Amino acid sequence: MAAEPAYTWDNANPHATDQLRHLTAVLDPPTVAGLSGLGDLAGRRCLDVGAGNGTIARWLADRVGPEGRVTAVDLKPLDIPPHPRLRVVTQDVTAGDLPGGPYDLVHARLVLMHLPERLEVLGRMAGALAPGGTVVLHEWDCTHPLRVLTAPDQAAADLVTRANEALCALMTSRGARLSWSYEAHAAMEDAGLTGVTTAFGARSWRGGSEFCLLHLSNTHHLTEQLTGAGLTAEDLVALREVLMDPRLVLAGYPLYRISGRRPD
Ligand SMILES: C[S@@+](CC[C@H](N)C(=O)[O-])C[C@H]1O[C@@H](n2cnc3c(N)ncnc32)[C@H](O)[C@@H]1O
């Protein structure tokens, strides 16, 4: 039997539901703003790769109308509620062709950065496009330090920084590429896409807000791995406290949106 890909956050983990809830609360507003820039989606055929809990696939399904359709594919789709215009496919996208197609829009958010086979998967995403179709990626730049703008004290700021470094090292050890967000533009051009553009932005988050809740849920999801990476049980208790402290303010990772079209 083939080994399962070493994706850092397994959707079978009991904390995955919380993780994806907080992740989508943080990222859906800028993602929806970006996808809205594609114009009227009525009648479009869309694929969301690594759809997670399906919030973006369902947002698309609400907009494609009776003539459109959406496919959500994930290694382990997580409780995606049914929708009349949405098909959910359980599949490892590194293992072969993407389901269905051709598509007018192929989207992936925070998926390719995790996959060592990201270039092959990007090639398949581009290959699944109908002429004139668009690939859109949303990726965090995790080479950007998680900047602590304010904290209750220096020890709390240092702890947040240390925990983020441990998390990034863990992701890297599992095959993630922290710099993929700003390497994807060239990769899209190499994949034959045209009119490639990149836009990016970030904002601040206070202790207790969704971005901090995401990090809090990560400390539960990855307790064993973070402890293995040098954080003590006491560090984790202190970290969980500071992530809920309104005196903490973090600058989140920049979110990159990279898009390119298949020529007509
Ligand atoms: C960080 S989550 C992002 C989920 C969703 N795209 C979002 O932004 O809300 C990454 C998702 O990619 C999926 N994934 C990881 N490796 C995969 C693979 N080889 N094939 C298909 N899906 C995969 C995971 O199961 C997870 O749902």
Side-chain angles (χ1 to χ4, degrees):
M1 205 168 98
E4 194 163 282
Y7 171 59
T8 309
W9 285 275
D10 183 355
N11 284 354
N13 183 295
H15 298 286
T17 300
D18 275 354
Q19 187 229 1
L20 287 178
R21 183 159 46 86
H22 299 310
L23 186 73
T24 54
V26 168
L27 292 179
D28 281 4
T31 302
V32 160
L35 294 177
S36 298
L38 296 172
D40 186 7
L41 295 172
R44 306 239 196 147
R45 300 155 294 177
C46 306
L47 174 66
D48 193 23
V49 174
N53 66 6
T55 57
I56 292 302
R58 284 174 55 81
W59 182 86
L60 290 168
D62 280 341
R63 278 155 189 83
V64 294
E67 305 301 322
R69 60 183 166 81
V70 179
T71 302
V73 60
D74 199 291
L75 195 56
K76 296 180 186 173
L78 191 68
D79 300 332
I80 302 181
H83 186 293
R85 286 187 270 284
L86 175 63
R87 180 169 74 112
V88 178
V89 177
T90 300
Q91 187 185 313
D92 176 357
V93 298
T94 66
D97 287 345
L98 296 169
Y103 294 101
D104 303 301
L105 169 64
V106 179
H107 173 253
R109 185 175 72 190
L110 300 193
V111 181
L112 297 196
M113 72 170 289
H114 290 289
L115 304 179
E117 307 83 352
R118 60 190 65 81
L119 293 180
E120 289 85 344
V121 176
L122 176 61
R124 285 191 211 122
M125 291 170 69
L129 289 176
T134 305
V135 167
V136 179
L137 300 179
H138 284 98
E139 303 281 359
W140 260 333
D141 172 10
C142 292
T143 65
H144 189 275
L146 190 59
R147 293 193 200 285
V148 180
L149 304 183
T150 68
D153 54 41
Q154 191 58 45
D158 291 346
L159 179 57
V160 170
T161 301
R162 200 152 57 82
N164 184 58
E165 285 168 359
L167 187 66
C168 288
L170 175 66
M171 288 197 295
T172 303
S173 74
R174 300 286 184 90
R177 190 152 175 89
L178 306 183
S179 51
W180 166 246
S181 56
Y182 52 84
E183 294 167 351
H185 189 115
M188 278 208 188
E189 292 187 347
D190 290 346
L193 298 172
T194 58
V196 178
T197 59
T198 292
F200 59 91
R203 52 157 288 193
S204 63
W205 297 91
R206 194 168 285 285
S209 66
E210 288 290 351
F211 185 76
C212 293
L213 292 174
L214 171 64
H215 281 273
L216 181 65
S217 113
N218 288 342
T219 70
H220 293 291
H221 202 137
L222 302 172
T223 301
E224 207 178 299
Q225 293 87 337
L226 290 173
T227 311
L231 274 87
T232 64
E234 293 73 30
D235 285 338
L236 288 179
V237 170
L239 179 62
R240 287 169 186 153
E241 245 172 60
V242 75
L243 287 169
M244 293 305 290
D245 190 321
R247 293 172 294 172
L248 178 75
V249 180
L250 300 177
Y253 315 110
L255 180 70
Y256 278 56
R257 178 169 51 256
I258 316 101
S259 59
R261 288 180 69 239
R262 176 175 165 180
D264 284 322

